[in-house]
Amino acid sequence: MKSKKPYAYIPGPTPSTVVGYLLDLHSPDALPWHFNVPEEYGHVARLKGGLAGDALYITDPAALNAILIRQQAWFPESTEFAGLFRIIHCGDGWLPCKVRLEHKKQRKYMDALFTANRVSKLTPMFYQVAHQLEDKLKAAVSDTPGKVVDMLDCLTRAALEIIGTAGIGHTAFDEFHGAITSVLPLASRLFLVLPFLESWRKMKPVWLRRTLAYVGTLPWPSARKFRAAVDAMHPVYVNLYKARQRMLEEGGSAALADTAAGGKDLITSMIQANWDADETHKMSEDTVLANMGSIVHGGQETTSSSLARFLTIIAEDQDLQVRLREELRDAKAKKAPGEDLDYTELEKLPLLDAVVREMMRIYSPVTFVWRQTTKDVVVPLTYPIRSIMNGEETEGVAHSSNRLQFGGADAAQFKPERWLNRTQGESKLPGAYSGMMTFLSDQLIPPTELVLAVLLLSFSFEPIPTPIDWRMGITLEPRVRDERKKERRCRFRIAASSSTLVDMELTRRWLYLSSRVRV
């Protein structure tokens, strides 16, 4: 929604530099700025862009509904971010797709992957990965109670396995893991060149484009590392895709049961759905590969970031952690020994559900998204704008919205209790999760509660002395304060919970007695 100067009457912050709002918007330390803009200037604020033109910072519910739902065809991803993600994913996936018919065809498959019904059927696969993570952590802390562990790394690996990259081999996985966890933080440092990425991507001939990319990134370490990360990820997607294709060609859908997740992971499901579609509805190979990148990035970033944030919250609030663990133990006590809570039972745990909702509300992994108009359009408003020039109110204009829409005066406070007595129909925003904008209008519902349930039943989490700071990137990124390398980390002091210690001791005794009997 950029143009030159049509929004002079709308209040907004003064840029900190002559180049306009871009440095304020994209600074790694911009999180307080993002929270302050709607609180100080209202649901629609003007961002002064200098030579680049102005933009609007919108958190108004009616405007968001129009932009993201009712009139979304007129508000595609901005050229800057569409170009960025087309480069990261090496093609035109569904997220940056601007061709309406092609977008509709892709959404047919993508929406089917992210419904609540679909996620509930994937619960056994989610538990398999969660218990693998549980076993690794038990082995790590069994001899060293209170060991400090970087949970972000553990959670990222678990998220990648859930999404469908578990079968690529150990060496390739480590390289892929390093690339995918660094590419978005690196991209956040390239915002000055984002407007040029889409035109560069279309440059012909290809050899000239590649040569310019190689030469142009040599003196810029962030750009050079970004290019290396993209080059490392794409072959992994190609190899995964071709392996699944071979399985389908040789043994049909039944052959997919031999994959790491039994053919139930999200990537394999998309490839199979496209394989089964008639020719008029099939996505091209390049489009499937680009969508694989979209799924992996979207799922990995949001899931691992949300889980890390949750652990940060409960590590700093031991009383809340104890209450959550007691709720889970009470629910598990009603199940058969060794049996996990199913999807519906997890959803019905009031405190766990309330804490996850409140965390998603106030700590969204993605702070804001860009949209730009393709035609002149008036967007309706829930809350009128009062002109700073003449005081008149306006009811239409040509992401901290979660905070403003929920909770009133205490919206910035973390209060899970607000969800425990919440009535139906209070949600007004066009989001999929509890009517919030955490995942925009898409049906991405991460297996957060399931993984948390497994971890909380087995371990206790305490903060380390050095605080964790959450910094702005394309998504929010945790950093351990004062660390020299400033790498993405989220460390906690971890110990097996009391019930887990009892189970481990009983298991050790059983193994000892069993060995004695065999002798």
Side-chain angles (χ1 to χ4, degrees):
M1 287 183 293
K2 301 178 191 174
S3 64
K4 284 299 179 182
K5 297 263 181 195
Y7 308 129
Y9 69 96
I10 298 176
T14 301
S16 60
T17 67
V18 295
V19 300
Y21 63 85
L22 284 176
L23 291 175
D24 299 317
L25 191 75
H26 292 285
S27 168
D29 301 313
L31 199 55
W33 182 90
H34 282 272
F35 293 156
N36 179 68
V37 168
E39 292 174 358
E40 184 171 347
Y41 300 101
H43 288 269
V44 179
R46 175 195 176 195
L47 302 182
K48 300 173 185 177
L51 296 176
D54 290 352
L56 294 180
Y57 198 105
I58 297 177
T59 57
D60 184 273
L64 291 174
N65 185 276
I67 292 168
L68 296 171
I69 303 294
R70 293 189 293 105
Q71 299 173 335
Q72 62 175 293
W74 299 340
F75 295 94
E77 281 275 357
S78 69
T79 301
E80 293 91 336
F81 278 83
L84 171 65
F85 285 108
R86 284 185 174 116
I87 288 174
I88 290 177
H89 301 147
C90 298
D92 297 337
W94 70 294
L95 288 176
C97 185
K98 294 185 178 182
V99 182
R100 190 167 186 175
L101 290 177
E102 179 63 21
H103 184 263
K104 185 176 181 180
K105 180 169 69 175
Q106 293 186 40
R107 285 297 294 258
K108 175 183 177 181
Y109 298 110
M110 303 300 286
D111 283 349
L113 296 179
F114 298 125
T115 61
N117 181 53
R118 171 70 182 167
V119 172
S120 67
K121 293 179 180 178
L122 293 175
T123 299
M125 188 265 289
F126 292 159
Y127 267 121
Q128 178 183 347
V129 176
H131 285 307
Q132 289 172 357
L133 172 59
E134 177 189 22
D135 291 340
K136 291 177 182 177
L137 290 175
K138 282 181 178 177
V141 304
S142 60
D143 297 325
T144 313
K147 183 176 182 178
V148 175
V149 177
D150 178 15
M151 284 302 298
L152 184 65
D153 180 73
C154 297
L155 295 170
T156 299
R157 291 173 180 271
L160 286 173
E161 292 186 7
I162 284 173
I163 295 161
T165 59
I168 66 177
H170 179 74
T171 302
F173 185 90
D174 283 345
E175 183 180 7
F176 181 78
H177 173 263
I180 198 171
T181 54
S182 65
V183 71
L184 287 185
L186 289 167
S188 68
R189 305 173 193 171
L190 310 180
F191 66 88
L192 289 176
V193 301
L194 293 185
F196 309 104
L197 290 182
E198 181 66 1
S199 57
W200 172 84
R201 194 181 73 93
K202 296 178 179 178
M203 185 184 297
K204 303 290 182 171
V206 174
W207 67 264
L208 176 61
R209 183 178 76 217
R210 290 176 176 170
T211 300
L212 290 175
Y214 179 79
V215 174
T217 57
L218 283 178
W220 193 353
S222 294
R224 189 170 63 249
K225 293 175 183 177
F226 173 80
R227 176 171 55 83
V230 172
D231 291 344
M233 289 188 298
H234 187 60
V236 172
Y237 295 134
V238 172
N239 291 337
L240 277 172
Y241 175 74
K242 291 188 178 300
R244 299 297 188 268
Q245 288 286 99
R246 284 195 299 271
M247 287 182 169
L248 288 166
E249 290 170 358
E250 296 170 1
S253 299
L256 298 176
D258 294 331
T259 61
K264 297 179 180 180
D265 60 85
L266 298 178
I267 283 180
T268 303
S269 297
M270 181 188 68
I271 294 172
Q272 182 179 356
N274 195 55
W275 172 270
D276 293 336
D278 59 71
E279 290 300 321
T280 59
H281 292 93
K282 283 185 184 293
M283 295 183 287
S284 68
E285 179 175 319
D286 288 343
T287 301
V288 173
L289 289 170
N291 281 325
M292 288 171 67
S294 297
I295 291 173
V296 172
H297 255 118
Q300 180 271 135
E301 284 289 329
T302 55
T303 301
S304 58
S305 177
S306 297
L307 287 166
R309 175 72 81 165
F310 182 97
L311 295 180
T312 302
I313 291 169
I314 64 168
E316 295 172 352
D317 189 341
Q318 291 294 308
D319 177 68
L320 177 62
Q321 185 175 162
V322 169
R323 289 163 56 204
L324 284 166
R325 189 174 293 111
E326 289 175 350
E327 181 180 67
L328 286 164
R329 285 176 179 170
D330 289 343
K332 283 275 287 184
K334 300 174 184 177
K335 306 284 290 184
E339 186 179 2
D340 290 310
L341 299 169
D342 62 31
Y343 183 85
T344 303
E345 290 166 335
L346 279 170
E347 278 196 318
K348 291 180 178 178
L349 297 177
L351 183 58
L352 179 63
D353 185 62
V355 173
V356 171
R357 289 175 188 268
E358 183 70 350
M359 178 196 66
M360 293 295 190
R361 181 189 74 84
I362 204 167
Y363 299 121
S364 174
V366 180
T367 305
F368 72 98
V369 293
W370 280 105
R371 292 291 187 269
Q372 63 186 31
T373 54
T374 57
K375 60 179 293 183
D376 292 338
V377 57
V378 175
V379 175
L381 298 175
T382 301
Y383 307 102
I385 300 171
R386 185 173 297 277
S387 171
I388 60 174
M389 295 180 174
N390 56 25
E392 294 181 358
E393 289 188 346
T394 302
E395 295 185 355
V397 291
H399 214 322
S400 52
S401 55
N402 287 349
R403 291 182 170 226
L404 295 179
Q405 185 63 23
F406 292 79
D410 63 352
Q413 300 176 26
F414 183 83
K415 294 178 63 176
E417 293 78 12
R418 76 176 81 246
W419 295 94
L420 296 177
N421 299 312
R422 188 166 177 265
T423 60
Q424 294 293 324
E426 290 183 37
S427 170
K428 298 178 182 178
L429 290 178
Y433 186 80
S434 300
M436 294 185 290
M437 299 304 298
T438 303
F439 298 114
L440 302 180
S441 57
D442 304 315
Q443 302 296 315
L444 178 58
I445 305 174
T448 306
E449 293 183 0
L450 183 151
V451 177
L452 294 174
V454 171
L455 294 179
L456 277 170
L457 281 168
S458 296
F459 307 101
S460 62
F461 298 86
E462 295 181 4
I464 61 174
T466 308
I468 295 171
D469 293 326
W470 290 80
R471 309 190 75 200
M472 286 285 299
I474 303 299
T475 59
L476 291 183
E477 304 164 5
R479 299 282 200 279
V480 177
R481 188 179 301 174
D482 300 328
E483 268 201 352
R484 182 176 300 176
K485 289 187 177 181
K486 297 295 182 184
E487 294 179 351
R488 301 200 326 168
R489 299 186 193 278
C490 201
R491 292 175 174 167
F492 305 96
R493 196 172 299 280
I494 302 177
S497 66
S498 56
S499 60
T500 303
L501 290 172
V502 171
D503 291 341
M504 292 171 66
E505 179 62 25
L506 290 174
T507 300
R508 279 194 289 265
R509 292 182 181 181
W510 181 85
L511 290 172
Y512 172 76
L513 291 173
S514 297
S515 64
R516 298 283 291 182
V517 169
R518 284 197 296 271
V519 172

